[in-house]
């Protein structure tokens, strides 16, 4: 009944009433029976009202609803739909409005999703990001950027970049990006808890008319790369140093021999002995370096096969037993029977030989070295224990570094290059295992190697 109260319909009813009154006045000129006249007028009124209601419901009301729906859509409420029973072209119009609303709603959802994806990428990207407009105001900084400088978003957004960014190199990058209107790259160091290095890239942003709109600044963390570069430089320096010592000695003694014209046979023999020893050292060093470089090759993969531990020990022990006897060190082996390990045979052999050789080298006469192999859940646990000189606490984390030796002179006397444990660690890690050390100065050392059983 709501339509009877609606304004336009009321207006139509009044207009029809006026027509009725006019018709009544005209009819009353010809009709004397007023009852019939009233009945005729009433019927006419009802018919006219029904026609008006039909027209109103079919055409006016849907247009009103359509206008309201379109208003909602214009306001951005894409969930607005219109429901009205209609037929023919009006039904088609209503359907089109609803499908337009649906498309707009899908479009807005899509846009929202894209915006969310973009902001997720910006927030989670592992590089710092800053967006600056053409006037130099900061519009956006991401999480990574904030974590680099340890401040909050409100300290940057809305400010001029040169007021809030302290690093001179970053200023220079932004200025050059604006000036040259092209990508600019600089590397900067940031001293927070640990010194970090970044490559700062400034990229200009242009609008559709190719006018400069601002710039994006990306801070890419290159600390690891810098570390690797430093390590590589150290390594080259160390290798050169290690090579220099035996070569200097070989050259020195051979020159003396040549100058002396081999007069004194005993001295000549002694010198030749030294030259021989030093050349052996060189050979060992070069072999170790080659082993390391082979292990470090990115595609270096081991050929893992099931190997019987007892067979492995049979091949390894004669090599070290001789060394142990010469050093007066007792060598004990405790291995469970029938143990099998899935590993690279030569790799595991090298691990055991290097660890046992170290244990014997760094254990004084009458000491004891024990090799133990046991099965533990999903691992093979290999222990090399000695009663030797031990390793100071501060050196325990460093002994796996290349060329690191606790006592350089002593290690050199035993022919050590300082590469043995680096090689061991590499091999163990290629097997997805791990190695740990326990040691007490003057009491002894235990190396524990865990190989996954597979
Ligand atoms: N069992 C051990 N007891 C005491 N110190 C050890 C032991 N094993 C290793 N170290 C210390 O760790 C250092 C590094 O060992 P690593 O095996 O890498 O080198 P190296 O024995 O000096 O030379 P090489 O490359 O010939 O093995 C040694 O120089 C030594 O100081
Ligand atoms: Mg060694």
């Amino acid at each position: 009944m709501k339509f009877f109260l609606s304004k336009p319909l009321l207006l139509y009813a009044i207009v029809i009433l006026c027509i009725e009154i006019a018709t009544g006045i005209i009819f009353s000129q010809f009709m004397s029976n007023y009852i019939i006249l009233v009945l005729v007028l009433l019927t006419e009124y009802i018919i006219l009202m029904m026609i008006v209601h039909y027209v109103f419901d079919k055409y006016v009301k849907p247009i009103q609803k359509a206008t309201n729906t379109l208003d909602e859509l214009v306001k951005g409420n894409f969930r607005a739909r219109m429901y009205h029973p209609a037929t023919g072209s009006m039904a088609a119009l209503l359907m089109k409005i609803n499908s337009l609303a649906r498309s707009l709603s899908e479009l807005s959802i899509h846009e929202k999703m894209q915006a969310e994806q973009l902001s997720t990428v910006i927030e989670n990207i592992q590089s710092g990001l800053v967006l600056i407009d053409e006037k130099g105001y900061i519009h956006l900084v991401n999480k990574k950027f904030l974590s680099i400088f340890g401040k909050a978003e409100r300290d940057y957004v809305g400010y001029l970049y040169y007021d809030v960014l302290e690093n001179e190199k970053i200023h220079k990058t932004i200025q050059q990006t604006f000036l040259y209107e092209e990508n600019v790259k600089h590397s900067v160091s940031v001293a927070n808890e640990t010194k970090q290095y970044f490559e700062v890239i400034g990229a200009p942003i242009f609008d559709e008319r190719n006018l400069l709109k601002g710039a994006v600044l990306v801070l890419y963390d290159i600390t690891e790369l810098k570390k690797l570069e430093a390590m590589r430089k150290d390594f080259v320096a160390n290798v050169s140093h290690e090579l220099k010592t035996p070569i200097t000695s070989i050259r020195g003694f051979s020159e003396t021999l040549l100058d002396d014209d081999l007069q004194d046979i005993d001295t000549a023999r002694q010198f030749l002995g030294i030259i021989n020893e030093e050349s052996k050292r060189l050979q060992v060093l070069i072999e170790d370096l080659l082993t390391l470089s082979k292990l470090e090759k990115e595609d270096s993969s081991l050929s893992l096969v099931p190997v019987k531990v007892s067979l492995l020990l049979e091949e390894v022990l004669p090599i070290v037993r001789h060394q142990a006897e010469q050093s007066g060190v007792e060598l004990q082996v405790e291995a469970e029977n029938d143990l099998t390990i899935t590993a690279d045979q030569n790799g595991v052999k090298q691990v055991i030989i290097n660890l046992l050789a170290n244990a014997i080298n760094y254990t004084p006469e009458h000491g004891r070295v024990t090799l133990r192999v046991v099965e533990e859940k999903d691992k093979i646990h290999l222990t090399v224990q000695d009663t030797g000189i031990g390793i100071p606490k501060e050196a325990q984390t460093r002994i796996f570094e290349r060329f690191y030796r606790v006592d350089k002179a002593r290690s050199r006397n035993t022919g050590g290059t300082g590469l043995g444990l680096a090689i061991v660690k590499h091999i163990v890690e290629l097997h997805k295992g791990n190695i740990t050390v326990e040691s007490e100065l003057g009491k002894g050392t235990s190396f524990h190697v865990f190989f996954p059983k597979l």
Side-chain angles (χ1 to χ4, degrees), residues 8 13 27 48 54 62 85 131 172 197 208 217 238 262 313 334 394 406 409 419-420 449:
F27 275 22
L48 277 173
Y54 176 76
L131 186 70
K172 201 169 143 197
Y197 292 90
E208 60 281 0
L217 206 67
N238 281 331
L262 300 173
L313 295 183
E334 300 165 14
E394 65 281 5
V406 177
L419 292 173
V449 181

Side-chain angles (χ1 to χ4, degrees), residues 78-79 81 101-117:
F78 301 129
R79 270 183 293 177
R81 300 280 184 279
R102 255 194 304 278
S103 303
L104 284 173
S105 155
E106 274 164 23
L107 214 68
S108 96
I109 290 171
H110 190 67
E111 218 170 68
K112 222 187 266 173
M113 259 169 58
Q114 269 190 337
E116 268 168 24
Q117 279 168 357

Side-chain angles (χ1 to χ4, degrees), residues 16-78:
I16 291 167
L17 204 65
C18 294
I19 295 170
E20 285 291 307
I21 292 166
T23 331
I25 293 166
I26 295 163
F27 275 22
S28 62
Q29 306 290 318
F30 317 105
M31 283 189 181
S32 51
N33 191 336
Y34 284 104
I35 294 175
I36 292 176
L37 180 66
V38 168
L39 275 175
V40 168
L41 287 177
L42 204 65
T43 319
E44 193 189 313
Y45 181 80
I46 289 169
I47 291 169
L48 277 173
M49 271 314 283
M50 276 167 70
I51 293 169
V52 166
H53 178 245
Y54 176 76
V55 172
F56 185 80
D57 202 45
K58 199 160 164 61
Y59 298 103
V60 182
K61 215 167 154 195
I63 288 172
Q64 265 181 356
K65 278 194 180 172
T67 315
N68 291 343
T69 312
L70 288 171
D71 279 346
E72 284 296 308
L73 293 180
V74 169
K75 273 191 246 161
N77 174 14
F78 301 129

